[in-house]
Amino acid sequence: VMPWKKRRGLARGLKEVVKTPMGRVGFRENLIGDFLTSFVKVNVALAYSICYYASGDYKLDQSTLSTSSPANFPHCTSSSPWSLVTIPLISVLPLLWRLGQCVVRYSTTRSPWPHLANAGKYFFAFTVVIFGVFHDSWTKGNADGSAYRIVWIVFFGIATMYQWFWDVAMDWGIKKGRPVYLFPKFVYVSFVPMDLVLRFLWVLSLVPYDASSPFGSNIVTATAPFLAIAEVFRRLAWCLLRVENEHISNASNYRKVNFVPLEQFEGNEGEEGEEGERIMRRRLTLEIFGVLVLVGVVTSLAYFS
């Protein structure tokens, strides 16, 4: 079913993603990193399931609890270390991996566009998710209209539109001046609005919430499988056009062969090459440290606000 020889590349790419920012950052790693951001809801549900069974909470009498959701059991409540540490980490780690990859690409190319702009996309998404994790009441339909929640909703909209714009203009390359399109026109005409609608539907799944939000337990339970299927379809559609755009970009820029002429390395040997590598490593270290500080500040604001 899954022969190792055909899955070895996936395993190696996944390892490089987990090693970010020390791992290799190429198209394969970027693609895997983007796919991991779609597994947040699944991973959170798996984490709650592990807590539910490993802690022994499944043995408790459910009639004595407010709800039968694993998040309301003694060892998996919102005040437990599992929910305060493990769930937030699982929710934001894929976004931080992609953010780190963008910083690595900027550090090696020194090109703010598109790498810093792409990093900003994941930072907006991280901000939405981390605030939603520590303030799950904001996702409820009956939540109050506090200033913090209004700001969060604004960031929610910005992050979603930011991601949709990046999908269409950058990942898919649907813009004026594109040399060729490999699929029929109706594919692009249908995928663009579909991606926008599905992003607004599924982005709620990035924020863990209990069975009582945002529209009631029955609706959430009934629609959850359909939303999961919709995200799988959206991500597959995104991947199809993303790979197509990468192929066209490689062919149009004469990158069919993974080869760099030796003259590109002239003057980079010996001490000069070693010194340049040391400078690049120091620069990357400082930039990653700056990102971590910024992430820490946002996380603190989300937790203490």
Side-chain angles (χ1 to χ4, degrees), residues 100-166:
Q101 287 178 335
C102 295
V103 174
V104 171
R105 291 292 295 158
Y106 167 71
S107 181
T108 55
T109 63
R110 308 312 296 172
S111 176
W113 180 266
H115 305 302
L116 287 186
N118 200 16
K121 179 187 71 173
Y122 292 104
F123 179 75
F124 270 112
F126 162 77
T127 303
V128 170
V129 172
I130 199 64
F131 271 87
V133 167
F134 290 121
H135 301 276
D136 61 334
S137 62
W138 290 356
T139 65
K140 293 179 170 62
N142 57 352
D144 58 10
S146 65
Y148 285 116
R149 184 169 185 264
I150 293 174
V151 172
W152 180 78
I153 292 175
V154 171
F155 268 74
F156 191 103
I158 293 175
T160 304
M161 291 302 299
Y162 201 157
Q163 292 165 354
W164 175 73
F165 166 78
W166 201 269

Side-chain angles (χ1 to χ4, degrees), residues 202-219:
W202 184 254
V203 76
L204 288 174
S205 68
L206 297 177
V207 183
Y209 53 86
D210 57 36
S212 63
S213 65
F215 307 110
S217 58
N218 292 333
I219 295 181

